Amino acid sequence: MGIPLASESRLASLEGRTPTIATLCSHSSLQIFHGARALGFPTLGISVGPPPRFYDAFPLARPDRFLSVPRAKDLPSAAEKLRAEGAILIPHGSFVEYVGADTFADLDVPVFGNRAVLAWESDREKERQWLDSAGVPMPRRYDDPSEVDGPVIVKYYGAKGGKGFFLAKNRAALEGFTPTGPHVIQEYVLGTRYYMHFFYSPLSDRGYRVGHGSLELLGMDRRDEANIDELYKLGAEEELLKAGIRPTFVVTGNVPVILRESLLPRAFDVAARIVERSIELFGGMVGPFCVEGIMTEGLEFKVFEVSTRIVAGTNLFISGSPYSDLLEPGLSTGKRIAQEIQRGRSEHRLAEILS
Ligand code: AMP
């Protein structure tokens, strides 16, 4: 039995009706609507301005109806309409970013997953506290530049897509650097990046048992990051800086990857620790999340980030992945969310998966 996350009053709008699956028209919305429609749920697209036309090109993923708001930040003014529709909001990366974490946290509409996770994810200090106390290996953090003994990455708080991150090969290269805002100096981990798409179900009583339910691996990707991924073709960084070229990590796309099978136990161990600790800290992280880390040549996996909702890399696997196909052929993260809501409804356990 999971932990109740939603009060009775929060769920009152869903009483005795089939819920409508709603999300912001962006990011992974095609996948979310496609999955919801496959399970027979009505769907609602929240658009900023007029509904985007691109849905017409994807009939199986087009929401049944649209609700338009002038700006994403105006969503609270649509809360009553959303409740009247029996909406369950599915958060995705852009949804929370555009609406704003505080506004999203306060929305009086049922949301899939535990919105208490926002406070832990959006603050790098709190995220480190969560992962460190879970025993998850992370890149070393330097409190003072004088401690630096290898390559480092300087991250500004709130930097979107790694914009403005600073890379230094060693302590000497860091000397000329003057920070322009709150930041952390982190060990630059050399290795291969993996973005692992997990799903924690507190309702499940089968499979890889974790917490009150079970942990599933639905897919894995690597992000294409402009222009860092191609910088090696141009040569050494000092030369690039002289030419005014700075590395950026803005995500431009995703590629599918798989992990050596012998490394899967480690991947599950790390994800399970993150879930178990989330239950202790704030009642649990429910549904999709992504463990983002770097596998070194010594086969050490260091986690630099956890995204606590559906990530855009899952869009690679709308018709299944090498991992999700072993749970159910053709299973996407969007469909898995819809399945969880369907099960929560039929077992009268929506309070454990909505907040
Ligand atoms: P983040 O904003 O923490 O998700 O980082 C953005 C990107 O920076 C990642 O996708 C990685 O490519 C890179 N990155 C972040 N942290 C590290 C690290 N400690 N070592 C090497 N690369 C990193």
Side-chain angles (χ1 to χ4, degrees):
M1 188 76 179
I3 299 168
L5 306 172
S7 62
E8 270 181 36
S9 63
R10 175 58 55 73
L11 301 184
S13 56
L14 303 176
E15 204 56 50
R17 63 184 300 171
T18 306
T20 294
I21 303 299
T23 197
L24 191 73
C25 294
S26 173
H27 190 267
S28 44
S29 66
L30 288 169
Q31 185 193 161
I32 292 168
F33 295 137
H34 177 250
R37 287 174 55 136
L39 276 109
F41 285 108
T43 48
L44 179 78
I46 303 165
S47 66
V48 176
R53 268 190 68 201
F54 73 89
Y55 290 104
D56 294 342
F58 304 107
L60 298 182
R62 192 178 193 282
D64 300 317
R65 274 165 312 116
F66 288 95
L67 186 152
S68 299
V69 288
R71 295 169 313 165
K73 303 224 175 321
D74 298 322
L75 199 60
S77 62
E80 204 178 316
K81 265 192 208 156
L82 288 165
R83 286 195 302 271
E85 296 278 353
I88 295 177
L89 298 178
I90 313 297
H92 54 57
S94 307
F95 198 158
V96 177
E97 191 186 318
Y98 297 165
V99 173
D102 291 344
T103 308
F104 191 86
D106 290 340
L107 268 184
D108 190 12
V109 181
V111 163
F112 181 68
N114 185 357
R115 55 180 109 189
V117 74
L118 273 170
W120 289 85
E121 181 214 31
S122 55
D123 176 335
R124 281 198 197 266
E125 286 298 322
K126 287 193 92 168
E127 187 180 69
R128 182 167 276 266
Q129 217 178 306
W130 170 14
L131 301 186
D132 254 350
S133 63
V136 170
M138 296 184 76
R140 182 173 164 197
R141 195 175 65 176
Y142 298 96
D143 291 326
D144 193 274
S146 63
E147 295 167 10
V148 168
D149 54 1
V152 291
I153 179 166
V154 182
K155 299 180 175 182
Y156 289 103
Y157 288 160
K160 298 275 184 299
K163 257 196 178 152
F165 281 11
F166 180 82
L167 299 182
K169 281 193 193 127
N170 46 38
R171 189 168 43 210
L174 197 60
E175 268 157 23
F177 165 73
T178 18
T180 55
H183 63 282
V184 285
I185 304 173
Q186 209 175 71
E187 164 197 9
Y188 184 82
V189 184
L190 284 172
T192 322
R193 289 170 296 126
Y194 292 91
Y195 300 74
M196 304 174 183
H197 318 151
F198 283 97
F199 189 99
Y200 170 62
S201 164
L203 305 183
S204 170
D205 51 8
R206 294 185 303 136
Y208 190 97
R209 303 305 309 276
V210 167
H212 308 285
S214 74
L215 185 64
E216 298 163 7
L217 178 63
L218 299 182
M220 219 177 278
D221 78 296
R222 174 148 58 242
R223 295 178 187 163
D224 274 336
E225 294 175 330
N227 50 25
I228 185 84
D229 285 343
E230 296 294 320
L231 273 187
Y232 67 93
K233 291 184 183 160
L234 288 171
E237 202 193 324
E238 285 84 4
E239 293 303 312
L240 294 170
L241 287 176
K242 273 187 223 154
I245 301 173
R246 268 199 179 281
T248 70
F249 295 77
V250 176
V251 180
T252 59
N254 304 76
V255 284
V257 292
I258 52 158
L259 195 64
R260 265 170 68 167
E261 195 169 292
S262 58
L263 297 174
L264 282 178
R266 188 154 332 150
F268 270 90
D269 175 63
V270 165
R273 285 169 182 274
I274 295 172
V275 171
E276 301 271 12
R277 189 70 184 124
S278 77
I279 294 170
E280 291 164 1
L281 288 174
F282 52 87
M285 173 179 52
V286 168
F289 64 100
C290 182
V291 179
E292 309 177 5
I294 299 173
M295 194 68 77
T296 67
E297 63 176 348
L299 303 183
E300 247 191 305
F301 186 62
K302 297 199 183 175
V303 176
F304 60 80
E305 181 89 270
V306 177
S307 290
T308 59
R309 58 192 66 83
I310 184 169
V311 289
T314 60
N315 291 338
L316 287 163
F317 307 119
I318 290 182
S319 52
S321 85
Y323 298 111
S324 73
D325 279 351
L326 307 181
L327 286 156
E328 178 186 307
L331 181 66
S332 72
T333 298
K335 188 170 174 195
R336 185 65 191 82
I337 292 171
Q339 286 178 341
E340 193 75 354
I341 292 172
Q342 194 178 53
R343 178 166 183 177
R345 266 191 92 216
S346 66
E347 294 182 6
H348 305 286
R349 298 174 68 186
L350 282 176
E352 294 167 52
I353 57 168
L354 305 181
S355 64

